[in-house]
Amino acid sequence: MPKDTLTIIDNRTEKSYEIPVQYGAIDAMALRKIKVDPSDFGLMTYDPGFANTASCKSAITYIDGDKGILLYRGYPIQQLAEKSTYLETAYLLLNGDLPSASALKLWQGEINIHTMIHENIKDFMKGFRYDAHPMAMLMSTVAALSTFYSDAKTIQDPASRHLQVVRLIGKMITLAAFAYRHSMGMRYIYPDNELTYTGNFLNMMYRIAGPYEINRVYERALDILFILHADHEQNCGTHVLRSVASSHVDPYTAVTAAIGALYGPLHGGANEAVIRMLMEIGSKDRVPEYVRRVKAGEFRLMGFGHRVYKSYDPRAKIIKEIAYEVFAQTAPSPLLEVALELERIALEDEYFVARKLYPNVDFYSGLIYQAMGFPITIFPVLFAIPRVTGWLAQWLEFIADDEQKIARPRQLYLGKPERDYVPIGART
Ligand code: CMC
């Protein structure tokens, strides 16, 4: 009769241990009873980058990396991209189920009334240098929000938690647009709550004088991109969010830390890095030489590979389709040709095939953003806006989870054993 247990024989002591297996995992603390003698600390696992360690139980997002499946609360990402809106998907991620028509209306209204920011935040942003990176401005300004909402510290109060959630989602588009306008030396445009979430964002970004006509293809494309980026279970940024939130700090501070993680080129900064890479390659005929250098280990192909997906990232497939819709509205992008050639060559090359390296979400998203007129430096910000929803859903789940504790990994100490301090004159 098969048992849901794991038997471990410790060859150091020849003792046998039976450990329960639940949800395909063992409790790491169960290993601690495996000791060579009573004074031994007990066995640990060594897992740099948490490649095989589950840090939480979650009911938000499911990924099957081998099959290229991504579900939010059980719904396939393809169906949400086709039929839902970003704000409806945000409600789903945060609450667990799709809203009724009246709940959705209420929710959209709540987000809308929180798009406005305190005038002092505007002044705060004015203090940044003219060439400050918008992602760094966003990160610092979200941190500054914690000084405006001291009620956010009451994280055990559900009403306060809800308020911070709607504030953060509402204000992200305003802060992002202000960061862009600052870098362009343009006056800030206030939110117009008659518009949709993405329409409002586009208006705050691009309105110059007089009314700004929103391109409906761009508005919908951006909405779909926001859906695709809203959550992705325990990635680097989300892990940071949960880790920082585990100290029970307010959500603005935890989100700030997560934005910092997302900023890096191996994570949310990859869409920016992809465009820089495509510009560096420059033309289709230079792709083979670039791929040769990647294979020689000089650098990585940005927008390729994923810790979890070992097949085509399902988000990349949807994004490629949107790309063609957006490009139909604009002049053809010379970089698209380079990207398509890069993808074609890489997908046939043994190096990439053997390592299961496929285009990820960032490979085409930058090209779409660029076609829509967004400057490269704002790309990571466009990732951060919707990811706030995922972070907040994970934060709410974390708070409700009695099994969670303050994050505190172990280490394997390989340094010097204890030794006595040597006075400076006696050192060799
Ligand atoms: N180009 C070339 N080789 C690569 C790449 C790449 N983009 N990614 C991985 N490899 C190779 C790597 O050199 C290694 O080869 P070997 O076994 O010979 O040493 C092998 O593939 C496994 O690499 P790894 O570093 O163990 O893989 P990982 O799961 O730790 O890294 C990754 C995942 C996303 C950091 C990595 O694929 C990468 O750096 N990609 C480029 C950056 C990028 O596009 N990031 C966006 C990720 S999707 C958006 C998000 O969720 O943030």
Side-chain angles (χ1 to χ4, degrees):
M1 176 73 177
K3 286 204 281 179
D4 282 336
T5 61
L6 175 75
T7 300
I8 299 177
I9 298 169
D10 186 346
N11 294 321
R12 300 171 301 174
T13 57
E14 295 184 344
K15 276 194 194 159
S16 167
Y17 301 84
E18 190 172 350
I19 297 176
V21 174
Q22 202 185 16
Y23 310 116
I26 58 163
D27 179 354
M29 286 305 281
L31 299 175
R32 287 277 284 278
K33 62 182 181 192
I34 304 180
K35 299 172 182 236
V36 277
D37 58 53
S39 68
D40 183 5
F41 181 75
L43 209 62
M44 290 190 284
T45 56
Y46 174 58
D47 187 9
F50 309 105
N52 196 36
T53 298
S55 63
C56 61
K57 292 174 183 161
S58 182
I60 301 172
T61 292
Y62 173 80
I63 302 174
D64 184 326
D66 291 327
K67 297 197 184 119
I69 293 173
L70 171 60
L71 312 176
Y72 288 168
R73 300 284 189 184
Y75 294 101
I77 193 68
Q78 292 83 350
Q79 291 183 23
L80 293 169
E82 190 189 336
K83 299 178 179 145
S84 185
T85 60
Y86 167 63
L87 282 190
E88 185 187 57
T89 299
Y91 182 100
L92 169 72
L93 285 166
L94 289 155
N95 297 287
D97 279 306
L98 287 166
S100 65
S102 58
L104 180 60
K105 202 163 169 233
L106 197 70
W107 169 244
Q108 286 165 332
E110 266 190 295
I111 299 293
N112 263 349
I113 58 166
H114 286 288
T115 51
M116 197 61 91
I117 56 174
H118 194 289
E119 282 295 293
N120 285 359
I121 281 282
K122 208 177 79 182
D123 297 339
F124 177 86
M125 292 193 95
K126 281 188 182 153
F128 287 109
R129 250 179 78 126
Y130 66 96
D131 59 351
H133 195 290
M135 189 70 158
M137 280 195 258
L138 180 74
M139 182 168 54
S140 318
T141 316
V142 170
L145 286 182
S146 75
T147 66
F148 287 78
Y149 304 115
S150 53
D151 57 329
K153 292 192 192 317
T154 53
I155 61 161
Q156 301 304 347
D157 173 8
S160 167
R161 288 201 297 264
H162 179 77
L163 185 56
Q164 313 320 322
V165 166
V166 289
R167 275 179 178 154
L168 263 162
I169 296 176
K171 291 180 201 326
M172 280 305 280
I173 44 170
T174 316
L175 298 180
F178 280 22
Y180 165 74
R181 309 269 310 188
H182 180 84
S183 61
M184 299 297 287
M186 291 161 84
R187 85 183 160 86
Y188 305 150
I189 300 291
Y190 287 107
D192 174 350
N193 294 340
E194 296 302 309
L195 302 173
T196 64
Y197 190 77
T198 45
N200 206 350
F201 176 55
L202 288 170
N203 187 55
M204 286 190 276
M205 288 282 295
Y206 295 126
R207 184 172 171 173
I208 297 182
Y212 166 76
E213 197 184 327
I214 296 163
N215 179 321
R216 300 295 164 200
V217 173
Y218 291 4
E219 185 183 26
R220 177 66 187 144
L222 199 56
D223 203 64
I224 296 173
L225 285 159
F226 282 3
I227 293 172
L228 301 183
H229 286 89
D231 193 52
H232 212 231
E233 53 120 307
Q234 307 312 311
N235 52 78
C236 177
T238 304
H239 159 71
V240 165
L241 180 287
R242 278 182 175 258
S243 228
V244 174
S246 77
S247 73
H248 288 186
V249 73
D250 68 84
Y252 300 98
T253 306
V255 166
T256 301
I259 296 176
L262 192 67
Y263 193 5
L266 296 191
H267 194 7
N271 50 18
E272 182 178 341
V274 168
I275 296 295
R276 294 194 193 282
M277 172 187 77
L278 296 176
M279 288 193 305
E280 189 192 330
I281 298 173
S283 61
K284 208 173 143 178
D285 54 303
R286 294 182 57 192
V287 169
E289 169 59 10
Y290 196 84
V291 169
R292 188 196 61 73
R293 293 176 64 194
V294 169
K295 285 160 59 181
E298 281 187 48
F299 36 70
R300 289 189 168 200
L301 200 56
M302 299 315 287
F304 256 73
H306 200 276
R307 170 63 59 78
V308 179
Y309 293 119
K310 299 303 169 196
S311 71
Y312 213 103
D313 182 338
R315 301 168 300 171
K317 263 188 207 156
I318 302 168
I319 285 181
K320 203 170 164 183
E321 285 161 23
I322 306 171
Y324 286 109
E325 284 169 34
V326 170
F327 292 142
Q329 306 276 309
T330 59
S333 161
L335 296 186
L336 176 65
E337 212 188 22
V338 181
L340 288 170
E341 181 67 357
L342 199 54
E343 181 186 351
R344 188 187 69 75
I345 292 188
L347 290 182
E348 285 173 359
D349 192 293
E350 182 50 25
Y351 175 95
F352 297 90
V353 174
R355 289 169 181 76
K356 298 188 175 169
L357 300 170
Y358 294 86
N360 60 47
V361 69
D362 287 322
F363 193 66
Y364 286 104
S365 63
L367 284 170
I368 303 178
Y369 294 145
Q370 203 181 38
M372 288 164 74
F374 290 109
I376 296 178
T377 51
I378 203 96
F379 292 1
V381 170
L382 297 173
F383 196 153
I385 295 172
R387 185 50 62 86
V388 157
T389 287
W391 290 332
L392 292 170
Q394 302 272 346
W395 174 62
L396 294 176
E397 186 172 70
F398 170 84
I399 303 268
D401 184 348
D402 292 339
E403 288 180 5
Q404 286 297 333
K405 295 180 188 323
I406 186 162
R408 202 331 183 162
R410 294 278 173 184
Q411 64 167 8
L412 305 180
Y413 178 69
L414 305 180
K416 304 272 187 211
E418 186 175 343
R419 51 185 173 160
D420 288 328
Y421 179 82
V422 181
I424 194 153
R427 288 176 215 160
T428 52

